[in-house]
């Protein structure tokens, strides 16, 4: 698992993972609204689908938001569902 990165110029969080089909990326496109990041879309490379990489990415994103004092506002269905299953990260929600 690679480091979690915030590609601010592209409004995208990214992370590289090793999967059965090789390495791949999980990413989330976001829009900036004040101190919040609206999570518009979360996607994983095909090689990582079903591996749990997207869930680990979401946890890394929530921990990054906590460390940076950011608030997340999930808009995509995957991000909304993940946060509903992980109320221990409610403190990072906008």
């Amino acid at each position: 698992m690679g480091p979690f990165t915030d590609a601010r110029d592209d409004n995208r969080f990214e992370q590289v993972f090793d999967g059965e089909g090789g390495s791949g990326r999980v990413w989330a496109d976001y829009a900036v609204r004040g101190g919040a990041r609206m999570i518009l879309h979360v996607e994983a490379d095909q090689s990582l689908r079903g591996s749990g990489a997207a869930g680990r990415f979401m946890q890394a994103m929530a921990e990054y938001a906590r460390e940076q004092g950011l608030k997340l506002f999930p808009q995509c269905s995957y991000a909304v569902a993940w946060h509903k299953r992980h109320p221990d990260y409610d403190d990072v929600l906008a």
Side-chain angles (χ1 to χ4, degrees):
M1 179 168 63
F4 180 89
T5 60
D6 184 356
R8 290 183 184 107
D9 291 341
D10 296 325
N11 285 0
R12 179 178 279 191
F13 295 124
E14 302 176 323
Q15 194 166 20
V16 174
F17 292 86
D18 292 324
E20 288 183 25
S23 66
R25 279 182 323 132
V26 181
W27 66 93
D29 293 324
Y30 64 80
V32 178
R33 298 290 182 263
R37 301 297 182 268
M38 293 179 66
I39 307 304
L40 305 173
H41 179 74
V42 176
E43 190 166 343
D45 284 337
Q46 187 69 34
S47 63
L48 296 175
R49 297 204 180 146
S51 71
R56 291 191 305 276
F57 170 79
M58 290 297 298
Q59 182 176 358
M61 183 190 326
E63 290 173 1
Y64 176 81
R66 195 177 269 166
E67 290 168 7
Q68 298 296 313
L70 299 173
K71 293 295 183 180
L72 302 176
F73 185 26
Q75 293 291 294
C76 96
S77 59
Y78 180 79
V80 169
W82 187 89
H83 277 284
K84 283 183 181 178
R85 290 190 313 270
H86 296 88
D88 46 321
Y89 289 104
D90 281 355
D91 61 300
V92 302
L93 297 178

